[in-house]
Amino acid sequence: MRIIIQAPVGRDAALLVQTLNAAEISTAIARSTGALLALLEEGAGGTIIADEALAPDAIQALSTWVAGLPPWSSPPFIVLTSGGLATSQTQQRAKTLQALGNLTLIERPVRPETIRVAAQSALRARMRQYEVRSRQESLIQANADLEQFAHSASHDLREPLRSIGVSCDLLARECADSSDRTAELLRVIRGGVARMDELLNDLLTYAHASSIMEEELPAVPAVRAVDAALENLAAAIREGGAAITVGELPTIRVRESHLTQVFQNLVGNAIKYRRDSLTPAVEIEARAVAGYWHFTVADNGIGIARSHQELIFGIFKRLHGYGKYAGTGMGLAICKRIVERYGGRIWVESEPGQGSRFTFSIPEAAGAQDRASHGH
Ligand code: ADP
């Protein structure tokens, strides 16, 4: 990695090049801001600029370039200032230069070891940034591979499953007058096929729950996602006689189908895990807490023992057999994956027999537009 130098005075530039090369740091010289930007685009460990080389429009151009960089990237700038007393003018100047982000000011006259140490620490910092980038890229790749794997696996597995189901139906017709035992076995096989199909569906939803989207997301009123979720659950709500209350909800920048999915899983569970003696009551609310929106879905159901409160967010984790409550154990794992994809968390507070209160957080910066009207 090299250090780019922009110094209009020949002697300064020559001294810098000589000092850095003596420390086995390679250098490139930029004669103009345009040339500097071109060199920065190619990649650099750091940039040393003599203050007088930076006209206001050059600072503007550089800070615009810096602002457009990805989050992992913050290229180090070392600016050589003129020595002398601090005045309001020099202070103002320092403030303007801060738009460059990763900034070190060194006052002239500069000693060679000062510049060498500053350049070496810039290089180290830049190296760490490149490492972060490469770790991020391999994570994104691993995620995409996993998603692709789960996608193909669930598609490929569904095909033979379908043919088992069809054969089962045919066999049932052929054995119409066979023993009860045969009929029972066929029923078990069909049940297994249906359940496997359900598991594959959920696995697919899980795999897609964190697909990385590059596009800017539109702001969505959370209440719209809740309405969609309640509509999808209409049969369960009616059948359970559930009372659902929805408080005032903010507008956030997440994919609407993701938010609907989370509410649908949480409200669906709130109704499913109800107490036999009580009609289910579910409350949905949101609160602004320290830069996040906290959404809660609270119920008056069977509750969850403390020892299980983390476990339930795992893949295929369930606390009950398939008998009394249907389900695959994927609902909460899907919620967790979606919420974490937006930089939030999900947790539950509950006591057995006392209902459960699920909360998930979404950063406000995910784009709440009517933030002001809610306040803290
Ligand atoms: P599923 O409902 O398909 O089993 P989930 O991942 O949605 O899977 O939930 C995991 C487990 O957490 C459930 O099996 C249940 O034991 C427990 N659980 C989830 N929501 C509630 C709730 N509102 N009240 C009580 N238990 C719950």
Side-chain angles (χ1 to χ4, degrees), residues 5-261:
I5 295 168
Q6 192 184 7
V9 185
R11 200 174 56 85
D12 255 6
L15 183 71
L16 288 170
V17 170
Q18 198 187 347
T19 308
L20 295 181
N21 290 355
E24 295 185 347
I25 298 172
S26 58
T27 48
I29 298 215
R31 307 250 171 243
S32 65
T33 307
L36 173 59
L37 282 170
L39 286 169
L40 280 168
E41 272 299 333
E42 285 171 18
T47 306
I48 302 178
I49 312 178
D51 195 8
E52 61 277 11
L54 282 174
D57 55 337
I59 299 178
Q60 184 61 45
L62 282 173
S63 53
T64 307
W65 180 76
V66 167
L69 293 173
W72 62 264
S73 180
S74 179
F77 288 95
I78 299 165
V79 174
L80 308 181
T81 63
S82 323
L85 292 176
T87 61
S88 65
Q89 216 176 355
T90 57
Q91 275 169 13
Q92 187 53 42
R93 178 71 173 165
K95 223 178 247 167
T96 323
L97 286 171
Q98 260 168 10
L100 298 180
N102 191 343
L103 174 72
T104 309
L105 296 179
I106 297 182
E107 194 176 297
R108 279 180 285 200
V110 187
R111 286 190 317 191
E113 59 268 33
T114 311
I115 209 70
R116 184 168 42 78
V117 168
Q120 274 162 345
S121 81
L123 287 174
R124 267 198 302 277
R126 191 63 173 157
M127 192 64 89
R128 275 197 298 274
Q129 293 174 16
Y130 284 139
E131 278 165 17
V132 167
R133 176 186 59 180
S134 92
R135 264 201 301 272
Q136 256 176 14
E137 282 173 352
S138 43
L139 253 179
I140 289 172
Q141 187 56 45
N143 238 333
D145 288 349
L146 186 69
E147 191 182 321
Q148 187 53 43
F149 168 76
H151 183 88
S152 338
S154 25
H155 263 284
D156 295 353
L157 290 172
R158 187 163 284 151
E159 204 38 53
L161 198 61
R162 196 168 295 134
S163 92
I164 296 174
V166 170
S167 310
C168 208
D169 289 343
L170 291 175
L171 206 57
R173 231 172 286 158
E174 288 205 3
C175 310
D177 41 28
S178 63
S179 69
D180 285 356
R181 176 84 186 128
T182 310
E184 166 67 10
L185 285 175
L186 282 171
R187 203 185 57 73
V188 171
I189 297 175
R190 259 205 238 103
V193 167
R195 180 141 177 78
M196 179 78 98
D197 194 54
E198 217 182 314
L199 289 167
L200 289 175
N201 253 334
D202 280 355
L203 199 59
L204 202 59
T205 311
Y206 182 79
H208 288 313
S210 78
S211 29
I212 308 289
M213 300 151 291
E214 299 301 337
E215 85 265 27
E216 171 91 342
L217 289 161
V220 181
V223 71
R224 221 164 63 196
V226 170
D227 285 345
L230 297 184
E231 196 163 314
N232 296 342
L233 292 167
I237 294 173
R238 209 176 322 113
E239 182 254 329
I244 317 256
T245 48
V246 183
E248 198 183 333
L249 303 180
T251 293
I252 51 175
R253 243 174 244 284
V254 300
R255 198 193 275 179
E256 189 173 336
S257 62
H258 276 161
L259 198 58
T260 300
Q261 178 95 55

Side-chain angles (χ1 to χ4, degrees), residues 202 265-266 269-273 299 301-304 312-314 317-320 326-333 356 358:
D202 280 355
N265 292 354
L266 293 180
N269 282 346
I271 299 171
K272 182 161 64 169
Y273 299 104
D299 65 47
I302 60 174
I304 303 161
I312 51 173
F313 295 98
K317 289 284 190 282
R318 325 195 55 226
L319 304 180
H320 311 271
T328 60
M330 284 301 282
L332 291 175
S356 307
F358 282 85

